[in-house]
């Protein structure tokens, strides 16, 4: 198999993201008409246990159908992993693979909250080497190619978008956790040890330092993993702590963040090297010092465990 032409694939993914954006912005989802996702539970691979917070719409499915059919036609030798067609137990292969979340932020989408994106990643040897994340409601496009940097384009849906900005936009040193703006997410699973770990850790991050907390500047729960990671890449967020995401939530943002000088460690304390399928992540912008990571880890109460 010939080496993938990353520049060409990058441009194809950008065009696809804009097509998907038109589908998303012209749809009219309602909370009453959305269903729960068909991804199966870790414990027994049955639909039992899906929650009312884990939503899917017909638009999610239609966008993934469009993306997959377009990519399979143009790149028939490459693998495809999409959120809406994922089969439990499938492992990310070392072969070139497109990893797609058709609508990252479905809950926002059905509530008409415009923090929504399509996330298109491409991996080689299980490493994200291209990332495209597009918010069609704001026209904000993030894109990256390995070793070629990360760029943010505003008004990307217009015939004459604003000039692309190289990221990060902010990279000043961060030496203390109490100076940080942190993204966190509840997730769709609201019971059990993982949820308990999250909520106790949220409390630790916010609690006053004299009571043993980190007292971070503040926390944001915005509802899109891909856009959260892009916010870290540009420097508007200092870090993003997550457990329970899948590869399609983070693959595109992974490349975008790394090419912007940021880094990713385990969402559980101790490991500085993680894979895109890890499912527990702490993403950090360029300029965050190592001791801040260790300080963050010290405030995690418990351990998040997810099936890979």
């Amino acid at each position: 198999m010939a080496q993938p032409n990353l520049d060409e694939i990058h441009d194809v993914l950008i065009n696809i993201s804009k097509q998907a954006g038109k589908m998303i912005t012209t749809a009219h989802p309602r909370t009453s008409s959305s269903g729960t996702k068909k991804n199966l539970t870790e414990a027994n691979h049955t639909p039992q246990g899906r929650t009312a917070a884990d939503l899917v719409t017909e638009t999610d499915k239609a966008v993934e159908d469009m993306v997959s059919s377009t990519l399979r036609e143009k790149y028939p030798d490459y693998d495809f992993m999409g959120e809406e067609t994922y089969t439990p137990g499938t492992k990310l292969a070392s072969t070139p693979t497109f990893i797609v979340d058709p609508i990252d932020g479905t809950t926002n989408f059905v509530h008409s909250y415009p923090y929504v994106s399509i996330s298109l990643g491409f991996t080689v040897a299980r490493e994200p080497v291209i990332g495209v994340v597009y918010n069609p409601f704001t026209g904000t496009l993030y894109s990256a190619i390995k070793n070629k940097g990360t760029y943010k384009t505003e008004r990307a849906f217009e015939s004459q978008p604003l000039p692309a900005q190289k990221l990060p936009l902010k990279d000043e040193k961060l030496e203390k956790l109490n100076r940080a703006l942190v993204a966190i997410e509840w997730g769709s699973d609201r019971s059990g040890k993982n949820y308990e770990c999250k909520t106790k850790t949220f409390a630790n991050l916010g609690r006053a330092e004299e009571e043993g907390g980190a007292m971070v500047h503040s926390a944001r729960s915005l509802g899109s993993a891909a856009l959260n990671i892009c916010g870290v890449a540009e420097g508007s967020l200092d870090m993003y702590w997550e457990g329970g995401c899948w590869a399609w939530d983070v693959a595109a943002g992974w490349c975008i963040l790394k090419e912007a000088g940021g880094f990713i460690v385990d969402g559980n304390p101790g490991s500085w090297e993680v894979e895109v399928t890890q499912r527990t992540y702490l993403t950090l912008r360029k300029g965050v010092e190592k001791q801040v990571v260790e300080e963050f880890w010290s405030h995690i109460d418990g351990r998040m465990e997810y099936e890979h």
Side-chain angles (χ1 to χ4, degrees):
M1 184 184 296
Q3 281 291 107
N5 183 331
L6 299 187
D7 292 287
E8 177 193 91
I9 294 170
H10 169 267
D11 293 347
V12 167
L13 292 181
I14 286 178
N15 288 334
I16 289 174
S17 75
K18 292 179 181 179
Q19 293 177 51
K22 292 177 182 178
M23 296 173 67
I24 293 167
T25 55
T26 56
H28 301 284
R30 302 188 309 275
T31 54
S32 60
S33 63
S34 58
T36 56
K37 296 194 175 184
K38 74 172 189 177
N39 291 337
L40 307 180
T41 59
E42 275 101 22
N44 55 13
H45 290 173
T46 72
Q48 181 180 350
R50 288 290 88 186
T51 71
D54 194 15
L55 302 179
V56 65
T57 70
E58 290 303 315
T59 309
D60 292 75
K61 298 172 184 176
V63 170
E64 184 165 315
D65 285 346
M66 182 276 290
V67 174
S68 64
S69 62
T70 303
L71 290 175
R72 291 182 196 279
E73 181 178 352
K74 189 166 184 63
Y75 301 104
D77 295 330
Y78 297 164
D79 290 335
F80 182 90
M81 179 182 285
E83 177 177 19
E84 306 310 329
T85 52
Y86 172 76
T87 300
T90 302
K91 303 297 183 184
L92 178 62
S94 60
T95 51
T97 304
F98 293 104
I99 305 182
V100 172
D101 190 343
I103 301 180
D104 189 52
T106 302
T107 301
N108 289 341
F109 178 54
V110 301
H111 285 277
S112 300
Y113 183 71
Y115 199 75
V116 174
S117 68
I118 176 168
S119 176
L120 304 173
F122 183 68
T123 62
V124 176
R126 290 185 287 273
E127 177 191 4
V129 294
I130 300 174
V132 171
V133 174
Y134 178 49
N135 182 339
F137 292 102
T138 63
T140 306
L141 173 71
Y142 299 90
S143 66
I145 303 173
K146 184 180 179 181
N147 298 326
K148 293 191 176 182
T150 291
Y151 294 86
K152 175 186 178 182
T153 304
E154 300 279 13
R155 301 182 189 171
F157 48 48
E158 297 183 4
S159 57
Q160 292 185 320
L162 294 179
Q165 298 173 287
K166 195 173 192 302
L167 301 187
L169 303 179
K170 170 187 171 184
D171 63 357
E172 63 190 46
K173 280 190 177 182
L174 182 68
E175 299 176 325
K176 287 284 293 179
L177 186 57
N178 66 5
R179 306 293 295 175
L181 182 63
V182 183
I184 57 176
E185 296 291 349
W186 291 17
S188 58
D189 295 323
R190 305 287 175 80
S191 63
K193 290 184 178 180
N194 290 331
Y195 184 64
E196 182 180 6
C197 174
K198 285 186 177 184
T199 53
K200 286 183 175 180
T201 301
F202 295 167
N204 289 345
L205 293 173
R207 187 176 294 115
E209 291 181 273
E210 56 267 28
E211 295 183 4
M215 199 171 177
V216 298
H217 265 182
S218 195
R220 298 289 181 265
S221 185
L222 300 170
S224 167
L227 288 175
N228 287 348
I229 298 172
C230 291
V232 176
E234 71 175 66
S236 56
L237 294 168
D238 294 304
M239 60 193 69
Y240 167 41
W241 182 61
E242 182 59 278
C245 277
W246 295 85
W248 48 78
D249 296 304
V250 302
W254 190 288
C255 182
I256 288 166
L257 176 61
K258 286 201 165 185
E259 285 301 305
F263 60 108
I264 304 151
V265 300
D266 198 341
N268 289 314
S271 179
W272 293 87
E273 298 292 332
V274 294
E275 294 190 359
V276 71
T277 54
Q278 177 79 16
R279 303 201 64 201
T280 56
Y281 315 94
L282 176 60
T283 69
L284 305 112
R285 69 165 175 83
K286 183 179 181 180
V288 176
E289 297 287 302
K290 180 179 179 180
Q291 69 264 23
V292 176
V293 176
E294 294 170 334
E295 186 181 358
F296 190 103
W297 279 341
S298 75
H299 289 286
I300 296 174
D301 190 336
R303 184 175 182 85
M304 299 180 291
E305 300 285 352
Y306 297 92
E307 183 176 290
H308 290 196

